[in-house]
Amino acid sequence: MTRPRLWFVLHHRPGPSAEPGVRPMDQPLFAEHLAFLRRRAEDGTLVAAGPLEDTDTREGEGITILAAPTLEEAHRLAEQDDESVRSGLLAVTVRTWTVVMAPVLPPEG
């Protein structure tokens, strides 16, 4: 039996410096968010990422799932390593998710 695993859910939404009425993904600093996601893919912490479709797409909300070693590290990555968050284009909330069942869990890092 697979033991529960902690992953971290990053809920992104427009931040205080996002241009009103323009989706964050259509603003220049969004390239920094994509660079953050590429770094997470390269270091193996990225599980999945993408926009939320059940919200008004003008809102520009999305979710990133990280397999970081600790909550503190997930916060550091989400809040300090992502320049789009540091600049205020995106705001982020980090939550712990205990995964108790999945068809296939990637190996722990």
Side-chain angles (χ1 to χ4, degrees), residues 29-77:
L29 275 173
F30 193 74
E32 297 298 329
H33 183 60
L34 297 176
F36 163 76
L37 294 175
R38 280 191 294 278
R39 288 191 299 277
R40 301 293 61 81
E42 289 170 2
D43 75 7
T45 58
L46 180 67
V47 175
L52 290 171
E53 297 296 331
D54 65 341
T55 61
D56 182 341
T57 56
R58 289 173 288 146
E59 291 294 320
E61 293 185 31
I63 296 288
T64 299
I65 307 294
L66 295 183
T70 64
L71 177 60
E72 292 76 17
E73 179 65 0
H75 272 284
R76 186 191 73 74
L77 292 170

Side-chain angles (χ1 to χ4, degrees), residues 9 23 98:
V9 178
R23 297 180 315 166
T98 302

